[in-house]
Each structure stands twice: as C-alpha cells, then as structure tokens.
Amino acid sequence: MRDAKLELVGATVRFGGRAVLDSVGLDVAEHEIVSVLGPSGSGKSTLLRVVAGLQPLDEGRVFLDGRDLHGVPAHKRGVGLMFQDHQLFPQRDVGGNVAFGLRMHGESKGQQAVRVRELLDLVGLPGARERAVASLSGGEQQRVALARALAPRPRLLMLDEPLGQLDRSLRERLVVELRQLFGELGTTVLAVTHDQGEAFALADRVVVMRDGRIAQSGTPLEVWQRPADAFVARFLGFENVTAATVSGEAADTPWGKLPVPSDARQGEVDLLVRPAGVRLVPAAEGLRCTVAARTFRGTHVAVRLQPEGAPWLEAACALRDAPETGDEVGVAFDAAEIVVLGGARGA
Amino acid sequence: MAVPVAFFGLFFAYPVAAITARGLKIDGVWRFGRIGDVLAQSDIRHVLWFTTWQALASTALTLLIALPGAYVFARFDFRGKQVLRAVVTVPFVLPTVVVGTAFLALLGRGGLLDELWGVRLDTTVWAILLAHVFFNYAVVVRTVGGLWSQLDPRQEEAARVLGASRFAAWRRVTLPALGPAVAAAALMVFLFTFTSFGVVQILGGPTFSTLEVEIYRQTSEIFDLSTAAVLTLVQFVAVGAILAVHAWTVRRRETALRLVDASVTARRPRGGGQWALLVAVLATIAVLLVLPLAVLVERSLDAPGFGYYKALTSDEGGIFLVPPIEAVGNSLQYALAATAIALLIGGLAAAALTRRDAGRLVRGFDALLMLPLGVSAVTVGFGFLIALDKPPLDLRSTWILVPLAQALVGVPFVVRTMLPVLRAVDGRLREAAAVLGASPWRVWREVDLPMVRRALLIAAGFAFAVSLGEFGATVFIARPDNPTLPVAVARLLGRAGELNYGQAMALSTILMVVCAVALLVLERLRTDRTGEF
C-alpha cells in the first residue's frame, strides 16, 4: 500500500515523437491542494487528462489510493474533473447538470434531490436548480461546474484553469472561497493554472512545469523565495535574471560586482536580483542608469533602469521616491534580495 | 465504419461493377474497344450532346430565376415567409415522376395551356427545362440564400462608407463571398439535371433523351448491355468529375466568412424597386412552382365524384395484378424500411466521419458517399437484378431489394444532415460525462443523442421522401404485383386512355401530398444549423 492519495511514476505521453509529459513523478497527499503551474504547452492539462483516464500513458503508472489505474476507463476512476470552460450540458438545467454524476452512479431520485440541494447551497446558488444553463453568468457557471464535479464525492478533484475566464476581481474572491471550501470538505485537489497568483492563493503546494517536466515543487513561499532556476524565476515575473560568476561573497555580472550571501554556490550560476534589492542612490554613486520607464503598480512604482552597456534592471520604489523618466540615477544592490539560482546555468 | 463500407461495397460498387463487366466482357475477354465504337455512333453522340447542353441550360435558367428568390428570402422580411420557404422546398423532395406528370398536365396535350391558348410545350425542350427549374429552385434558394442571410450587411456598409457605390459594394464584397455558394448550388443543379431520368422520360418523348434515359432504353428495350455499360461508365466519370469540383467548392465555402444570425439581417422591403422585386419573385413562385401542382390536383379531380381516385381501388385496368391503390401501401412500407436502413448506415458513416482521428481514407469516403446521388440509378437497379440473384446473396425474390436500392439514395442525405451537427458537439462534453461516470454507451445516449435528435428526424424525413420518390432503380426491381407509387404512375402514363391518365394524376397527387406532409413536418423541426442541402 502506498501512502500518497495520488501518485504518478515516470508518466510519459508523446504526441508524434514529442514528449508532452516527460517522465513526470508527482505525489499528492490526502487532503492536500496541489497547483500545477506552467505556461501553455508545458503539459499541465495533459497531466490532468492522464489522471482522469482521458489520455493513455505511453510509459509510467498512475496510482490512486495505492491502486494502479492502468486500463481503468475514465468513467470508473471515481475522480472529478472541472473543465476549463466548464462544459456544462446545454440541454439540461442546473439541477440536471449537478445530478448527472449521481445518476450515472445509480443513486435514487430522492438521494439525488437531497444532494443537489446540498451542493447548490454549498456553492452559493440556492434555488438555482431549475435555471437554464444558458442563463448563467460566467461565475455562476463556474459554481455549477464545481457542484457537478463534487456531487459524486470524487476521491480526487481536478481543476483545469478553474477561474481562467472570469474577470479579475471575481477570480480573486473565488479563489479564497475555493480554498476555504476545500479545507472544510477535506477534498484532495489537483489544479492546473497558468496564473501564479491563483496558484499561490489556492495551493498548499505548487508544482511548476516546463516542457513536460517538473521544474520545481514546493510550498508557495519556498517557490516564491527560492525559484529553482532562471526559467521558474522568469515565469514568476522576475525580470532581473542574469548569468554570473560567483567567487566568495561577490558575483561578477553585466551590472558589475554584486554582493551575494556568504553561503552562495560558487562558480558559473544564474542570479536573481529581486526588484526590492535594486536601491536607488545619487547618480554619482553606484551603477549609473537612465530611467527608461515607470509603471504605477498600486503599492509601489516599477522603474525600468537602463545602465550603459548592460541589460536593463527593474527596481521597485515607493511612490514618493520614484524618479522621473529620463532622470540619471545610481544603483546599489542589497545582498539579502539576491538569490543564486539552482539548476544548470542558462536554463 | 466497416458496416457502411461493406454496405456500399455490396449494394453499390458490386452491382454497378457487375453490370459494367457484363456489358464490356464478351466471352471472358474485356472489350474496351466497345467504348470507342459506342461513342462513335451519331445517335449516342447526340444523346451526350443533349444531356450536356440541357443540363447547362437548366442550370443557367435555374440560377437566373432562383437567385432573385434567394436574395428576397435572405434579405427581406415579409408576412408568410416561413410558409413560403416550405412551399418552395416541396418540389425538391417531389418524385421526378410527379414533376413530369404535373408539367404534362400544364403544358401537354389537353393540358391547361392547350385548352386556354392551344399552346403545347411537351414536345419541346422547354418543358424539360422548366421542369428542371421547378425541381431545383429550392437548391439555389437554400444553398445561396442560406449563406446570404448570414452575411453581415455591415460588410457592405463598410464598403459604402469607404466610397463604393451600392452596386460596387455588392460586386466587390457580397458577390465574392457568395461565389462559392453559387458555384456549389450550380454544380448540384447540374448534377441533378445531368442525370435526370423521370422528368425526361415523361416529357422528352421520342425526341429528347438524356444519358440516363438512354441507359434505361438500351437495357430494358433494346437489351444492348454493352452500349448501356459504356454509357454508365461515361456518366460515372462525368459525375465523379462534377463531385470532385463540388467537394472543392464546398471546402472553399467554409473558409473564413464572418457569419451572423440570419434573423437580424432581414428587414421589410423599402421603396418601389424592392417591392417590385418581391412581387416579381412571388409571381414567379406562383406560376412556376405552385401552378403545375395545382393543375395536377385539378386534373386528378376532373372525373365526377372523385372518379379517378375511385378507379384506383379496382383492378379492372389490368395493368397491374393488384388495384393501383395498393401501390400506396407498398410505397410506404418500402420507404419506411429504406429510411431505417439509410439512418443506420448513414448514422454509422457520419459517426465514423466525425471521429477526430478520422484519417484521409475516411474523409475520402465522405466524397464517395455522394456518388449514389449521381450514378445512374437505372444501372444500380439493373445491377441489383443481375448481381444479387445468386446464393449466398439471392435477394431477387425478396422484398428487401427495393428498400436497399432506395436507401442508397437516402444515405447521402442522412450523412449531409447529421455531419454538421455531430461535428458541432464539443468532444470535451463527452469527456465531462465520462469523468462523471458515464460509460461510452451512456455518453452517446446522454450527450450525443439529445443534440442530434432533431437532425436525426430531419434526416429521416429526407430519406423517407427521397425513398418514396425513387424511380430509376425501383422501376427495375419492383415486382409487378408490388409496384411503388412512382412506378405505378409511370405505367399508367404509358397507357393510352382518359382513365389511365386521370388515375396517374390521382396517384401523383397522393404521392405529392404524402411527400409534402413529410416535408412540412420537417420544416417545423428544422434547426438553425441547416445541412449542406
């Protein structure tokens, strides 16, 4: 008996010679919420389809509750999947959609009615049972899709870009609701998304994928603080990533000698300088830069700095300190905000 | 996939090949020289020439008369439009024999025009051309008008704003968008008229003969199988070429047009010009489409006290072994069986064609399915007789032979109607059902069936109407004691005498009413997603 609720071992899927999933290993523990994060084409949707039984594996194994799912068809796996654009059945009303899985599992009409009411209450749509699917807003459709997926009490719930099509404010509200709901129900969840904010807000653990492989796995805080490599750092939105040579407590970069923590890995590495680690000083001191652009970000101003003969740098400044476009400034670096990235150089 | 392929192999390719081989293989040796010999005969060359030019003339005339109709149906909103749309579609599903009879009643000896002004057109090519227009008016209105009504009028408005005159905007913007649809409709009309049988058989007299009629004459009257085989091959090649061009234009039609909901593009006619156009189109429909049918009904009632209808119930005429009225029951039974077969085969084929992993081979089958529409029905019928008479496939004496032949013509309609709807079902909806615990069969029942139910009914109606009116193949294989309606009409027309003529009119009327009812039921069911007809 294996411990993990869901376990993938060496899962590989090839489309015409190209590996969409390349020997992926992944464990999801009981009651854990795992978010798979990656750009489009990284294989994250294929991962869900493999677990759901909609996509056969070329190599590897999938275990659910310790049982090998090889050869088990989709309708007998007992997992739930919420599709990217919901895929509600257009010819059925809301109740018919939520009850669908219960009907397939042969529950009585009475049980179905009770469970449908329970779930519609749970997702915040009481009394919507007889509404037509076409009359629902995007957010309501999302709730119905969630109720439908939860109704047969799946052993594992999978979400494919669950909030993808909703507008920003609704997304931010729903992601909190979802996390609360899953916590109360004790649901084991595997979600995929391309939106880092969504992944970090929803998940206990984040798995970053790239080209069919897992690039990093960890808690949201770990991944945010110590991106595994240059790819993950850039994917998370960090701009100041560069190749560097570390010797002692200094790194040689296009921006000059930068201080690094004393325990930093030595030699040829990739280096991340967080925007907060780029401090503005008078033009005479530090690295001389021209302010190329500034973007108001609400809590701070992102300033794009162009040093002479080096890649541009992004700095985060408080609003009152932010320089004007065209100003000449100097830049100093803060060792605490500089991360030597793991993984192969130039990844 | 295997079932439709086997069906077509056994009941289409095999009989056609058998009859062709019978004609061209003399003493076990292929005589391809016969092809040259036959084509060198002046009367055969005459038939080829006539077949081609009458088809071209019919197509041109149909476009000329029906394109304004397509415009009116697409862009104008007027009272009774829905009913009128159904009315113009009725002729398309009418059996060719009925169409021929109706025009005989209008233009023939003792016909309406003859009585009024002494004008007879039944010995001229005009009768054939007008009957072909009657028959194919709906093809143009549906194919071209359907697309026209979905073209965004704002495209033309954009051109106007950019400085184009009203005509220039139409010519530069609308016409190029419609072009492929017009071409597709023209090809369909050309195909139908090129292989025209019933109409020409009845209206052509001894002077005019199409390839199809000539094949029938050569096989059933002169018994010159090798000439018939050569003509079949010629027609086969011609039809294959037409279908290839058709498939190409249909594909082009699908390219990136911005379509809008048809209901928002039509508006009430404005100004004298538009009203005049509307009235002209309505008048054309009245004279060309409604009048022949009205005359047909009127002639069938000519005898006092429904005399012709009563005569149908007696077997005194001696043409058949049974009273002619029994043909109604036969026809309905055959058509129902044929519909069931066509739905089964066509449904399986459409399902196979929809599968996402369908390869080139399967998609090629798509085009092949259209072939029975154009291949000589006479050949198929005769091929059935000579190919399916030996064990293990001795079907010659069984009733199933007729529905099988009729289903061949119904299948293309079923596939055309089902394909667009099946293709529109999102594959992930099926996956959603599977993940929720539905077995593949449940998925089909719960997801696909509710969506295709209407299309299925429409396909069934088309297959039914087409089977009911099938004449070319049935005339060969229907047994004398079990005639179908079109066969009975043709036999009655072939006899002299007032009573036979009147009975033919009466039977045609019955056939027309059955077809029209089937169609009107369909028209109520029709979805927005019309098929490719």
Side-chain angles (χ1 to χ4, degrees), chain A residues 49 52 54 74-75 79-81 83 85 87-92 100-101 103-105 148 152, chain B residues 356 426-440 442 445-448 450-451:
Chain A
R49 295 174 56 82
L54 299 171
H75 64 280
V79 298
L81 173 56
F83 284 79
D85 34 15
Q87 297 299 331
L88 298 176
F89 302 121
Q91 73 277 15
R92 292 175 209 283
F100 189 90
R103 276 207 301 127
M104 294 303 116
H105 290 90
R148 183 178 73 174
Chain B
R356 231 182 325 162
D426 194 330
R428 280 166 312 163
L429 218 46
R430 301 191 184 103
E431 292 180 353
V435 172
L436 286 166
S439 62
R442 274 312 276 277
R445 217 189 73 185
E446 301 277 349
V447 177
D448 293 61
M451 291 189 162

Side-chain angles (χ1 to χ4, degrees), chain A residues 71-84:
Chain A
V72 180
H75 64 280
K76 290 187 178 154
R77 292 201 170 186
V79 298
L81 173 56
M82 208 177 108
F83 284 79
Q84 186 167 5

Side-chain angles (χ1 to χ4, degrees), chain B residues 304-318:
Chain B
F306 296 100
Y308 293 143
Y309 288 91
K310 281 182 183 151
L312 291 176
T313 57
S314 77
D315 55 357
E316 280 164 26

